[in-house]
């Protein structure tokens, strides 16, 4: 019988616990499951270190997946034989889960853990050794995340929490004037800093903000990050960009550049740059570099379709 370690958030509410318990019932149909509730990254690191060969199943969203990767790094197992992971989408946006085709219902996702093949999944790591499981935002995306954060807390999780992302995006879109940024992807100069940039996204997954497909061509296990740079700073162009972003067609616009790379550097021209990684704000810095960690873990997920 398979042995699983289900890691959950100790502060989960009643509704989340019901969803978790329904998923747990499914897992226990075919596996012996130990449940660990964690309150901090230290708790999570201890759980990962003591898993005793069990496959890890994460109940959470992008932030929980990020914390899992950080715990692997702390225990010294990142970069070794890639660990096997299952994901039960129980976050606010569940963007990475959407990227790999996982159902948003945790019980249905539990059946994926039991029956679906494993797919290699990449991570990003920056020059301060911080890991990214889904996406980095700079510019309007970072500002939207910062504005959305208190709204997510006020509105709660899932549907109303996703509304927080929408509020943040609208507010940031109206106020953002763009920044002069240099963007270099694998030695290719994507932006030389002479033009104002509305947004830079560096992603492993395809979607952000509860389902917005910022990088529709991203492939989480191909060893490359998707890079999206928007120059749509004029008011009408910002509106056009937002409209196309909602339908995933923004990458076809003449003021949007996309590329794929193993290493990406973003540098502010005479100013520091703020960034948001998997929903967490990073301290502003003049320059940051992210590189891909290919095949960092293996995820139970539906098979990829062409």
């Amino acid at each position: 019988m398979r042995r699983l370690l289900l890691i959950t958030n100790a502060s989960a509410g009643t509704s989340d616990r019901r969803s978790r318990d329904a998923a747990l019932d499914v897992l226990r149909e075919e596996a012996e499951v130990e449940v660990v509730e964690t309150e901090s990254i230290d708790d999570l690191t201890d759980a990962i270190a003591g898993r005793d060969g069990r496959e890890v199943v994460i109940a959470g969203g992008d932030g929980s997946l990020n914390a899992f990767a950080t715990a692997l790094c702390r225990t010294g197992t990142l970069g070794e034989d890639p660990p096997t992971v299952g994901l039960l989408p129980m976050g606010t946006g569940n963007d990475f889960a959407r990227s790999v085709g996982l159902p948003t219902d945790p019980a249905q996702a539990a059946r994926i853990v039991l029956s679906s093949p494993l797919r290699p999944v990449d991570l990003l790591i920056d020059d301060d050794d911080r890991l990214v499981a889904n996406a980095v935002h700079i510019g309007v995306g970072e500002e939207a995340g910062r504005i959305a954060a208190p709204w997510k807390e006020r509105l709660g999780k899932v549907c109303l929490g996703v509304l927080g992302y929408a509020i943040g995006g609208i507010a940031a879109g109206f106020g953002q004037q763009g920044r002069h940024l240099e963007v270099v992807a694998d030695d290719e100069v994507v932006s030389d800093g002479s033009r104002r940039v509305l947004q830079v996204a560096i992603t492993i997954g395809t979607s952000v903000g509860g389902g917005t497909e910022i990088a529709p061509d991203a492939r989480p296990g191909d060893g490359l990050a998707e890079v999206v740079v928007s120059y749509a700073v004029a008011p009408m162009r910002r509106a056009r960009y937002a409209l196309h972003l909602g339908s995933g067609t923004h990458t076809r616009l003449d003021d949007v550049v996309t590329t794929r790379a193993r290493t990406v550097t973003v540098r502010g021209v005479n100013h520091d740059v703020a960034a948001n990684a998997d929903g967490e704000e990073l301290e502003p810095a003049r320059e940051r570099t992210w590189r891909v960690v290919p095949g960092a873990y293996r995820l139970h997920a539906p098979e990829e379709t062409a």
Side-chain angles (χ1 to χ4, degrees), residues 2-210:
R2 287 170 63 182
R3 299 168 63 241
L4 305 178
L5 176 66
L6 176 61
I7 297 178
T8 69
N9 188 340
S11 62
T14 302
S15 176
D16 279 348
R17 288 180 178 274
R18 283 197 294 264
S19 296
R20 181 204 66 183
D21 289 346
L24 182 58
D25 288 342
V26 171
L27 293 175
R28 283 180 168 157
E29 291 174 7
E30 299 183 27
E32 187 264 307
V33 186
E34 178 183 343
V35 180
V36 175
E37 294 187 345
T38 61
E39 295 182 341
S40 67
I41 188 64
D42 290 334
D43 289 348
L44 181 57
T45 301
D46 290 343
I48 296 298
R51 67 187 185 277
D52 189 28
R54 292 175 181 269
E55 291 183 38
V56 175
V57 180
I58 303 293
D62 295 348
S64 298
L65 201 55
N66 180 297
F68 164 74
T70 300
L72 284 180
C73 192
R74 283 189 173 191
T75 58
T77 52
L78 187 67
E80 296 181 357
D81 184 33
T84 297
V85 185
L87 179 62
L88 308 180
M90 294 182 62
T92 303
N94 295 315
D95 284 296
F96 186 80
R98 298 170 193 269
S99 298
V100 294
L102 285 174
T104 55
D105 177 73
Q108 293 179 21
R111 298 203 178 277
I112 297 292
V113 173
L114 295 176
S115 63
S116 288
L118 292 166
R119 290 171 51 178
V121 177
D122 307 326
L123 292 169
L124 292 170
I125 189 167
D126 71 10
D127 31 21
D128 290 321
D129 293 332
R130 280 182 293 257
L131 293 159
V132 181
N134 186 53
V136 174
H137 297 285
I138 295 164
V140 70
E142 178 275 330
E143 188 171 338
R146 182 157 30 88
I147 294 171
W151 284 98
K152 286 163 59 182
E153 293 296 324
R154 294 173 198 167
L155 295 171
K157 295 182 70 175
V158 193
C159 293
L160 290 179
V162 171
L163 181 59
Y165 289 123
I167 292 170
I170 291 168
F174 278 115
Q176 180 64 254
Q177 298 300 311
R179 298 175 173 87
H180 289 283
L181 300 174
E182 297 176 5
V183 181
V184 180
D186 284 349
D187 298 323
E188 173 194 355
V189 178
V190 182
S191 171
D192 65 6
S194 62
R195 298 172 63 187
R196 287 185 177 271
V197 171
L198 179 73
Q199 180 174 34
V200 178
I202 306 164
T203 78
I204 295 296
T206 59
S207 78
V208 296

